[in-house]
């Protein structure tokens, strides 16, 4: 009774439905605009196929790559390296981060080294590691491990340090031992940071992998792009970039974000910045 | 959002708590920080001495040090460093000048913000280096190519964080100023710019972290000077001493830029206003 | 301060407002007619969600009324203006400006020369008891001090009319009493026209020359109570609480407001989700 229908009801219902539709469709707008500009650019400027391949060529080459099995081979090779390197990075980063997070003295003395090696993490190691490991999986896995490790390590250490001491004291007061506190306080308390670290780390790892594959591998999406450049096949380069972006988005949005949401946000531990 | 929560984990991030890490960071100036490095160098030396490796695989710390001294004294390092610094400097300037206004414009409208968010995420998923082969076709093996890759990498976090920062400014700040008679330009200089600044600095910092790596990677492939060229070029001729020396310089330089340029901005403004630490 | 003491300063006529929401348009206020004389301190009490803030925002020029008009000094209000200052419930002073620069912000916007500005600001800082804190940033101040800065910023710009939206709702109870007394003194000293929103009956009666009571949403003004004039500077809580006549008025207003609190929880929630205030 306190809320009354207004005379402007009819127009605003239509407008609202329209607004909702716009809200749903709006994320596609930049992609559509860029595609249109691309189509117009190829149509009007008529550049050579090397400079700017037409949209149709890129779609055709995606289809061709997919049908020939080349795409699957390269995607699998890249994802395999990412998986291996990330698992190594997450496990070592987690163990190291928790240990350092729990031990203030150790944290203080190790910090300079961590800061320095973090500054050269990833791609900077490429020349040295090509010399030591040669071209291949080991090189890519090392670079991913090196990238993921520092991000997970720093986040885990920070997360552990930020767990309020009261929680720990609460479990101690209930008679909990060191392991008990670890399992029921430290790890869940640090989880938001750990998950953020893993999610961020995988994003960085993916980018480091593509860079590593440009020169340091015989298969993989990065190699595919780089080889295409030799033959000036711009359509394959663009197709490869699109596929790389799609995989990154799918990984982040549909795999890592839901995990983060389901565990951490449910506990209300992290300010939900995802709402619109 | 992940591009923002990334602020928990960029390269050499300042650790925003007055606990172990901050304390440790303060000790950076003291002698203590050298200790773990001395241990590392000692291990390296021991391995090198025990293993009897060929020079193409591992050299002694002494050799690396000598090479660095030689390269520095001959001005070789200065040349490579200045090439890299010039590109990252120009890229940063372009990214700020172009990215911040875009971020404001997009942040002022929720539809624009929503539409660009997904697109920016996509762009971030395709690392700048993946576009390198195409950009080489466009610009050849030139500094322009390197610059394009670095700007591409740097500008996304700046746009994104400016946008987030603008959207996070309380609405009544603007209302209050309008009731004091402020015009649009005033609102931008007095509310939006300072209000979004903490977020812009976070974006800048993230961007510099990504951009620096993209720069090194691009230089390795473009081979027109710069630190990436230095270490990658040394690989072809098997000069391990140059590679390791170059890596040390890259790390040190990055820390210097971060500590002496970006952190002071943060401390001067943001910490003083008490608006960043949530 | 104003020669024409009985001149009409603000005139709200036939005002009614609707908000466009996800669930269709929501009526924020009923029809409101209201006149405020120059130099008058008018307080408005009403239950949460009755549309108080909507009315104030329209008077400030932040929103255009769906129906009706608002005039200030005979001019139609269409946008915010320097002659109508606003003090918000939320802290609206800027965290990146010191106390001095926040208070002087309105003058700075108006293009007042620095020397003159500084002089005026210094006087206000003394008046609100913030001497020694001129160069502090808001985050270094207590809640009460911050709200003082917000009030001083509005006063410094020297508007004819000051619109205040529950400015003391966020400070602690003890500080609130002090701030209310200070505001009372400030108003007596400067003779501004003030429109003040609150949901505290005591605050409304204590500060107002005239108290308006609003019904629950969609709010209309259901009663008007004139408060007998007090001696200049005579607004302090001690004499207020011991004054039988004042207490009688407060009780009467309270009854009027109480009658509006008959909302069911569901209605309350809906009210809270809407326009706020």
């Amino acid at each position: 009774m306190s809320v009354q229908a207004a005379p402007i009801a009819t127009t605003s219902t239509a407008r609202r439905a329209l607004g909702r539709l716009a809200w749903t469709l709006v994320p596609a707008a930049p992609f559509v605009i860029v595609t249109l500009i691309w189509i117009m650019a190829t149509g009007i400027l008529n550049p050579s196929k090397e400079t700017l391949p037409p949209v149709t060529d890129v779609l055709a080459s995606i289809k061709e790559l997919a049908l020939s099995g080349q795409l699957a081979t390269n995607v699998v090779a890249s994802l395999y390296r990412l998986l291996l390197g990330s698992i190594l990075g997450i496990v070592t980063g987690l163990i190291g981060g928790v240990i350092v997070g729990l031990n203030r003295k150790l944290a203080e003395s190790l910090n300079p080294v961590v800061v320095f090696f973090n500054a050269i993490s990833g791609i900077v190691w490429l020349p040295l590691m090509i010399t030591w490991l040669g071209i291949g999986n080991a090189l890519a896995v090392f670079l991913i491990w090196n990238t993921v490790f520092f991000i997970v390590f720093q986040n885990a250490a920070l997360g552990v340090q930020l767990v309020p001491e009261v929680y720990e004291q609460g479990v101690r007061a209930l008679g909990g031992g060191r392991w008990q506190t670890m399992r029921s306080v430290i790890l869940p308390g640090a989880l938001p940071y750990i998950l953020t670290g893993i999610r961020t780390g995988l994003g960085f790892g993916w980018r480091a992998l593509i860079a590593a594959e440009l020169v340091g591998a015989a298969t993989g999406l990065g190699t595919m792009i780089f080889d295409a450049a030799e033959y000036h096949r711009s359509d394959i380069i663009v197709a490869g970039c699109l596929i790389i972006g799609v995989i990154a988005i799918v990984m982040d949005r549909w795999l890592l974000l839901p995990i983060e949401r389901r565990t951490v946000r449910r506990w209300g531990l992290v300010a939900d910045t995802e709402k619109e | 959002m992940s591009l923002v929560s990334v602020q928990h984990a960029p390269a050499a991030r300042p650790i925003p708590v007055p606990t172990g890490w901050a304390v440790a960071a303060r000790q950076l100036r003291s002698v203590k920080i050298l200790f773990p490095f001395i241990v590392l160098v000692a291990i390296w030396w021991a391995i090198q001495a025990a293993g009897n490796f060929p020079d193409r695989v591992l050299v002694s710390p002494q050799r690396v040090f000598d090479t660095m001294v030689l390269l520095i004294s001959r001005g070789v390092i200065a040349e490579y460093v200045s090439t890299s610094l010039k590109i990252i400097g120009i890229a940063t300037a372009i990214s700020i000048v172009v990215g911040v206004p875009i971020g404001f414009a997009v942040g002022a409208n929720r539809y624009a913000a929503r539409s660009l968010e997904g697109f920016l995420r996509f762009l971030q998923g395709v690392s700048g280096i993946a576009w390198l082969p195409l950009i080489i076709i466009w610009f050849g093996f030139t500094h322009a190519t390197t610059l394009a890759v670095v700007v591409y990498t740097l500008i996304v976090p700046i746009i994104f964080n400016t946008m987030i920062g603008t959207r996070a400014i309380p609405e009544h700040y603007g209302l209050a100023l309008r009731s004091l008679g402020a015009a649009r330009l005033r609102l931008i200089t007095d509310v939006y710019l300072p209000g979004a600044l903490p977020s812009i600095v976070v974006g800048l910092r993230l961007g510099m972290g990504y951009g620096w790596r993209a720069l090194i990677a691009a230089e390795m492939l473009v081979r027109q000077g710069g630190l990436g060229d230095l270490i990658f070029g040394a690989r072809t001729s098997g000069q391990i001493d140059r590679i390791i020396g170059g890596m040390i310089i890259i790390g040190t330089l990055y820390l210097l830029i971060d500590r002496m340029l970006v952190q002071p901005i943060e401390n001067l403004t943001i910490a003083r206003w008490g608006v960043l630490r949530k | 301060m104003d020669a024409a003491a009985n001149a009409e300063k603000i005139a709200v006529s036939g005002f009614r407002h609707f908000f466009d929401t996800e669930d269709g348009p929501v009526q924020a206020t009923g029809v409101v007619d209201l006149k405020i004389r120059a130099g008058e301190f008018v307080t408005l009490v009403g239950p949460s969600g009755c549309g108080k803030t909507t009315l104030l925002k329209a008077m400030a020029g932040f929103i255009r009324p769906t129906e009706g008009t608002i005039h200030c000094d005979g001019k139609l209000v269409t946008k915010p203006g320097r002659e109508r200052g606003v003090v918000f419930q939320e802290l609206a002073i800027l965290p990146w400006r010191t106390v001095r620069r926040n208070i002087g912000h309105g003058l700075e916007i108006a293009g007042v020369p620095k020397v003159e500005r500084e002089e005026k600001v210094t006087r206000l800082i003394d008046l609100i008891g913030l001497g020694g804190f001129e160069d502090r940033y808001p985050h270094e101040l207590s809640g009460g001090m911050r709200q003082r800065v917000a009030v001083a910023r509005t006063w410094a710009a020297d508007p004819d009319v000051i619109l205040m939206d529950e400015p003391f709702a966020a400070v602690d109870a003890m500080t609130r009493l002090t701030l209310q007394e200070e505001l009372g003194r400030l108003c007596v000293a400067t003779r501004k026209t003030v429109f003040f929103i609150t949901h505290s009956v005591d605050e409304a009666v204590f500060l107002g020359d005239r108290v308006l009571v609003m019904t629950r949403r969609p709010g209309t003004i259901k009663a008007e109570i004139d408060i007998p004039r007090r001696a200049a500077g005579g607004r302090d809580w001690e004499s207020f609480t011991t004054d039988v006549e004042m207490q009688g008025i407060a009780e009467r207003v309270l009854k009027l407001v109480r009658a509006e609190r008959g909302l069911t929880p569901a209605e309350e929630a809906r009210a809270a989700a809407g326009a706020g205030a």
Side-chain angles (χ1 to χ4, degrees):
Chain A
M1 129 205 180
S2 63
V3 178
Q4 292 182 356
I8 41 177
T10 44
T11 54
S12 94
T13 326
R15 208 170 51 191
R16 200 168 25 123
L18 213 67
R20 236 176 232 172
L21 190 69
W23 187 250
T24 330
L25 291 182
V26 95
F31 294 97
V32 174
I33 292 169
V34 169
T35 312
L36 286 178
I37 292 174
W38 180 5
I39 290 172
M40 270 156 57
T42 44
I44 296 166
L45 301 174
N46 208 6
S48 75
K49 286 193 173 184
E50 284 170 23
T51 313
L52 189 66
V55 180
T56 44
D57 275 28
V58 172
L59 292 178
S61 72
I62 290 180
K63 195 177 156 196
E64 190 193 305
L65 288 168
L67 288 179
S68 70
Q70 233 182 312
L71 184 63
T73 317
N74 289 321
V75 169
V76 168
S78 291
L79 286 181
Y80 171 72
R81 290 172 190 138
L82 183 71
L83 189 71
L84 214 60
S86 299
I87 289 174
L88 278 177
I90 291 168
V91 171
T92 51
L94 210 53
I95 294 172
V98 171
I99 291 173
V100 165
L102 287 173
N103 191 329
R104 190 148 297 179
K105 273 231 175 80
L106 192 64
E108 281 176 26
S109 59
L110 276 184
N111 188 48
V113 181
V114 172
V115 167
F116 181 79
F117 280 94
N118 184 34
I120 54 167
S121 67
I123 199 71
V124 181
W125 287 93
L126 185 72
L128 189 63
M129 285 301 147
I130 289 183
T131 316
W132 286 358
L133 301 173
I135 282 170
N137 277 345
L139 173 70
V141 169
F142 173 84
L143 291 182
I144 295 167
W145 165 78
N146 191 262
T147 306
V148 175
F149 171 81
F150 284 100
I151 296 166
V152 174
F153 176 88
Q154 291 202 333
N155 276 279
L158 185 67
V160 168
Q161 286 180 345
L162 287 184
V163 174
E165 227 172 325
V166 210
Y167 294 169
E168 216 178 311
Q169 287 161 350
V171 174
R172 284 266 166 83
L174 291 171
R178 197 168 167 80
W179 175 240
Q180 198 95 118
T181 351
M182 181 81 150
R183 227 190 40 193
S184 59
V185 180
I186 306 283
L187 286 181
L191 197 63
Y193 285 88
I194 293 173
L195 288 179
T196 304
I198 292 175
R199 198 173 148 212
T200 316
L202 278 175
F204 273 77
W206 182 242
R207 277 179 268 167
L209 169 68
I210 300 300
E213 284 178 346
L214 284 185
V215 284
T219 51
L221 288 169
T223 315
M224 185 179 96
I225 294 177
F226 207 58
D227 287 349
E230 302 253 308
Y231 306 105
H232 286 241
R233 285 289 301 271
S234 300
D235 52 335
I236 296 183
I237 299 177
V238 175
C241 286
L242 295 182
I243 292 162
I244 288 169
V246 169
I247 291 177
I249 292 268
V250 167
M251 229 165 39
D252 189 64
R253 301 265 99 179
W254 291 336
L255 194 77
L256 301 169
L257 188 68
I259 295 175
E260 204 176 310
R261 265 202 192 137
R262 203 159 299 166
T263 51
V264 177
R265 300 238 161 94
R266 222 163 86 189
W267 307 340
L269 286 175
V270 172
D272 192 351
T273 48
E274 209 66 45
K275 65 186 163 213
E276 16 236 23
Chain B
M1 311 192 184
S2 72
L3 283 176
V4 176
S5 43
V6 169
Q7 70 183 271
H8 294 307
R13 162 186 47 78
I15 294 120
V17 273
T19 51
W21 291 100
V23 174
R26 238 176 285 135
Q27 288 179 341
L28 214 81
R29 279 162 222 110
S30 73
V31 193
K32 255 190 192 166
I33 64 159
L34 288 177
F35 180 71
F37 289 105
I38 294 169
V39 173
L40 271 181
V41 172
I43 295 172
W44 168 11
W45 217 321
I47 291 174
Q48 197 266 337
N52 194 22
F53 296 100
D55 280 357
R56 292 186 64 89
V57 176
L58 189 66
V59 295
S60 71
Q62 176 69 45
R63 267 280 293 281
V64 173
F65 182 77
D66 289 344
T67 308
M68 281 171 76
V69 169
L70 189 77
L71 290 177
I72 291 170
S73 66
R74 282 200 192 152
V76 178
I77 292 289
E79 203 185 309
Y80 282 104
V81 166
S82 68
T83 307
S84 289
L85 286 186
K86 217 181 279 167
I87 290 177
I88 193 95
I90 296 171
T92 308
I94 292 176
S95 301
I96 291 174
V97 169
V98 178
V100 170
I102 293 179
F104 276 142
V106 174
N109 179 308
R110 66 191 195 110
Y111 285 94
R114 184 175 156 86
S115 82
L116 210 67
E117 193 197 320
F119 190 62
L120 290 180
R121 272 184 209 287
F122 178 81
L123 288 189
Q124 229 187 15
V126 196
S127 50
I129 210 73
W131 294 108
L132 186 76
L134 186 65
I135 300 175
I136 287 178
I137 293 179
W138 289 350
F139 300 135
F141 290 88
T142 61
H143 288 319
T145 299
T146 315
L147 187 65
V149 169
V150 178
V151 169
Y152 174 94
T153 314
L154 234 160
I155 202 167
V156 173
I158 290 184
I159 295 178
F160 198 87
N161 282 279
T162 307
M163 176 179 110
I164 297 295
T166 310
R167 296 194 68 67
I169 298 170
E171 192 203 2
H172 49 267
Y173 285 3
L175 292 183
L177 233 64
R178 281 172 58 202
S179 80
L180 289 173
R184 187 164 283 266
L185 187 67
R186 260 284 168 193
L187 286 179
I188 291 174
T189 58
D190 290 12
V191 176
Y192 290 115
L193 209 55
L197 193 63
S199 198
I200 295 174
V201 174
V202 168
L204 178 66
R205 184 154 215 187
L206 287 172
M208 299 270 277
Y210 307 156
W212 185 248
R213 280 179 180 71
L215 172 73
I216 302 294
E219 283 171 349
M220 286 184 194
L221 296 165
V222 173
R223 305 294 311 271
Q224 292 292 320
L227 290 162
D229 186 16
L230 172 73
I231 57 174
F232 203 73
R235 181 199 70 93
T236 358
S237 44
Q239 294 163 301
I240 293 288
D241 47 352
R242 276 194 181 211
I243 296 180
I244 298 178
M247 289 171 71
I248 293 171
I249 289 165
I250 289 171
T252 313
L253 214 55
Y254 176 76
L255 289 180
L256 280 180
I257 294 174
D258 189 70
R259 297 293 140 105
M260 296 178 77
L261 241 86
V262 187
Q263 248 182 35
I265 301 178
E266 214 175 88
N267 294 340
L268 261 176
T269 56
I270 300 156
R272 212 162 142 208
W273 303 337
V275 281
L276 182 64
R277 317 283 176 247
K278 310 184 183 110
Chain C
M1 161 185 190
D2 203 321
N6 275 324
E8 198 171 84
K9 198 76 194 171
I10 299 239
V12 177
S13 48
F15 173 83
R16 196 151 80 122
H17 196 75
F18 293 89
F19 280 116
D20 241 349
T21 70
E22 288 273 303
D23 308 311
V26 170
Q27 187 171 4
T29 70
V31 177
V32 174
D33 287 289
L34 167 66
K35 285 182 170 51
I36 301 174
R37 289 186 300 275
E40 198 179 16
F41 196 127
V42 174
T43 53
L44 177 69
V45 260
S48 296
C50 71
K52 302 187 293 277
T53 297
T54 307
L55 177 61
L56 183 133
K57 281 193 167 160
M59 287 163 82
F62 295 140
I63 51 178
R64 294 287 284 274
T66 316
E67 292 171 18
T69 56
I70 296 168
H71 286 87
C72 177
D73 274 330
K75 279 193 299 261
L76 187 68
V77 170
T78 54
K79 57 182 201 295
R82 203 173 294 151
E83 73 287 352
R84 282 163 284 127
V86 183
V87 180
F88 293 83
Q89 177 181 351
E90 306 94 345
L91 192 71
I93 55 172
L94 301 177
W96 41 87
R97 286 180 163 244
T98 59
V99 167
R100 187 197 299 280
R101 297 199 61 216
N102 259 303
I103 296 177
H105 206 168
L107 299 169
E108 195 182 314
I109 290 168
V112 175
K114 195 167 177 186
V115 183
E116 195 182 323
R117 199 163 77 211
E118 289 297 300
E119 195 188 285
K120 205 161 180 180
V121 169
T122 309
R123 219 172 333 122
L124 262 166
I125 286 176
D126 286 342
L127 199 66
I128 58 169
L130 279 180
F133 290 93
E134 295 91 337
D135 297 316
R136 297 293 184 88
Y137 287 88
H139 77 105
E140 299 171 304
L141 306 178
S142 70
M145 288 159 111
R146 286 180 207 159
Q147 208 48 270
R148 280 193 183 95
V149 174
V151 171
R153 177 177 69 177
T154 305
W155 245 267
D158 204 20
D160 290 345
V161 178
I162 293 171
L163 308 167
M164 303 177 96
D165 183 9
E166 298 195 41
F168 307 139
V171 297
D172 67 90
M174 290 306 290
T175 311
R176 193 179 310 143
L177 295 182
T178 321
L179 290 176
Q180 285 159 347
E181 290 182 345
E182 283 175 6
L183 179 65
R185 277 199 295 275
L186 193 62
C187 288
V188 169
T190 53
R191 298 303 302 159
K192 296 277 181 209
T193 307
V194 182
F195 181 68
F196 187 107
I197 285 177
T198 177
H199 57 236
S200 152
V201 169
D202 274 348
E203 188 172 66
V205 176
F206 176 71
L207 287 169
D209 297 324
R210 184 152 58 105
V211 177
L212 307 176
V213 179
M214 215 164 175
T215 64
R216 65 182 183 226
R217 196 223 291 277
T220 54
I221 290 167
K222 75 170 205 178
E224 244 190 82
I225 298 103
D226 279 315
I227 311 294
R229 283 254 160 220
R230 282 147 291 209
R235 279 184 223 196
D236 68 280
W237 279 103
E238 216 180 303
S239 61
F240 180 79
T241 43
T242 54
D243 187 323
V244 183
E245 191 193 354
M246 284 294 175
Q247 290 304 307
I249 295 171
E251 225 160 273
R252 227 172 78 216
V253 176
L254 185 63
K255 265 192 199 130
L256 286 165
V257 174
R258 272 262 170 85
E260 295 303 324
R261 292 250 164 101
L263 296 179
T264 66
E267 283 174 323
E268 195 106 65
R270 219 178 308 150

